[in-house]
Amino acid sequence: MRERLIEAVLAGSELDARELTQALLAEGVSARVILDETLVPAIRRAGDLWEQGEFFIPELMQASTAMKGAMSLLRPRLGAAGDSAGATVVIGTIEGDIHDIGKTLVAGMLEAAGHNVVDLGADVAPARFAEEASRSKASLICVSALLTTTMLNQQKVIEERNRAGLAHVARVMVGGAPVSRAWADRIGAEGYAPDAFSAVDEAARLLSLSR
Ligand code: B1M
């Protein structure tokens, strides 16, 4: 059934992807296993097909829509153990970048850990993160980037945060496929997580610094 789910994502069939996800859950397969061993490999395979010239952007977009449909069934079950202090977290994908699957997963995990998550969506201007953090009294700003070109804009979020006088109020966590701990250190981001699961632990660490 997992192979069929991969095929459904590759075919861009949201309906099939949702039905097969539901069936796997009913069989007792955990949400995390479905995500890590089926959905993420499926979207990566779509990316490989795109690189090989076998997929074009519309197919890639349909595959991501199917993946998101399946993910919406998993999100409530991806219960995370972590700090459930109920902090306010502002999250978004950086300006110039419309990739939002990973960001949405991180947002879901933080929500599952008990935080109040303000999701600004994708293609978010650096100043908007700081404005929203100030408005909602957030303790954490999370910035996702999937492109080597747009990750450069993550630094601007830190500059805007500092300009708004929030340096000691709202910590910044960065993430996304091209991002690393070394990059986070270089741009002065206090936090970095390689995946949505470790983002919850990293958020707890950063929030404990703010107390
Ligand atoms: Co795009 N794309 N794409 N794409 N796309 C990549 C990223 C790419 C690697 C493909 C490739 O070349 N192999 C490549 C980037 C190359 C680079 O910069 N190094 C690329 C490109 C080039 C592009 C376009 C420029 C293509 C074009 O138009 N010529 C274009 C960019 C448009 C733009 O943003 N301005 C583009 C467009 C698209 C689609 C719209 C078709 C679609 C996105 C749909 C959507 O998101 N709504 C898309 C997709 C689907 C991909 C791939 C195939 C999959 C991305 C994904 O969702 N992965 C991707 C190739 C790949 O990854 N193999 C690719 C699954 C997701 C769960 O993982 O997002 O990494 P990820 O998130 C992880 C971690 O990174 C981490 O946790 C998540 C879960 O564990 N994480 C965080 C993410 N954010 C975090 C934040 C945190 C902490 C952890 O704290 C704040």
Side-chain angles (χ1 to χ4, degrees):
M1 194 155 8
R2 287 190 197 161
E3 200 48 45
R4 280 174 61 205
L5 177 52
I6 291 177
E7 290 305 325
V9 170
L10 290 175
S13 172
E14 186 180 354
L15 188 66
D16 288 352
R18 287 175 68 96
E19 276 179 13
L20 288 160
T21 300
Q22 198 64 67
L24 283 168
L25 287 170
E27 269 188 7
V29 183
S30 79
R32 183 164 182 172
V33 165
I34 297 175
L35 185 67
D36 284 351
E37 296 181 13
T38 310
L39 294 176
V40 170
I43 198 74
R44 293 212 170 117
R45 203 186 289 176
D48 293 344
L49 289 167
W50 178 68
E51 267 187 76
Q52 291 155 16
E54 289 184 39
F55 261 25
F56 296 97
I57 295 291
E59 281 120 328
L60 208 47
M61 291 193 76
Q62 280 164 2
S64 58
T65 303
M67 171 157 177
K68 283 193 206 175
M71 258 167 53
S72 67
L73 301 172
L74 301 183
R75 220 175 291 130
R77 296 163 196 261
L78 288 168
D83 184 358
S84 50
T88 296
V89 179
V90 171
I91 189 167
T93 304
I94 193 63
E95 187 164 52
D97 199 327
I98 61 170
H99 296 89
D100 68 350
I101 294 175
K103 178 271 301 167
T104 304
L105 262 178
V106 174
M109 292 299 292
L110 291 173
E111 221 159 50
H115 301 299
N116 168 34
V117 177
V118 182
D119 189 342
L120 299 176
D123 190 14
V124 181
R128 179 82 190 89
F129 285 92
E131 277 162 23
E132 184 54 37
S134 173
R135 196 197 65 76
S136 60
K137 298 191 173 23
S139 323
L140 186 62
I141 300 174
C142 294
V143 192
S144 180
L146 260 286
L147 299 170
T148 45
T149 47
T150 59
M151 64 190 267
L152 305 175
N153 292 333
Q154 289 180 322
Q155 186 162 15
K156 294 186 188 159
V157 175
I158 294 157
E159 290 163 7
E160 291 292 343
R161 187 264 322 249
N162 295 350
R163 194 170 299 139
L166 298 172
H168 299 290
V169 179
R171 311 282 163 171
V172 172
M173 167 158 62
V174 292
V179 177
S180 62
R181 176 74 68 183
W183 171 249
D185 290 345
R186 195 167 138 196
I187 64 174
E190 292 82 14
Y192 158 76
D195 58 58
F197 297 98
S198 40
V200 173
D201 295 335
E202 183 68 345
R205 185 184 73 80
L206 294 171
L207 290 168
S208 73
L209 297 178
S210 310
R211 283 193 201 111

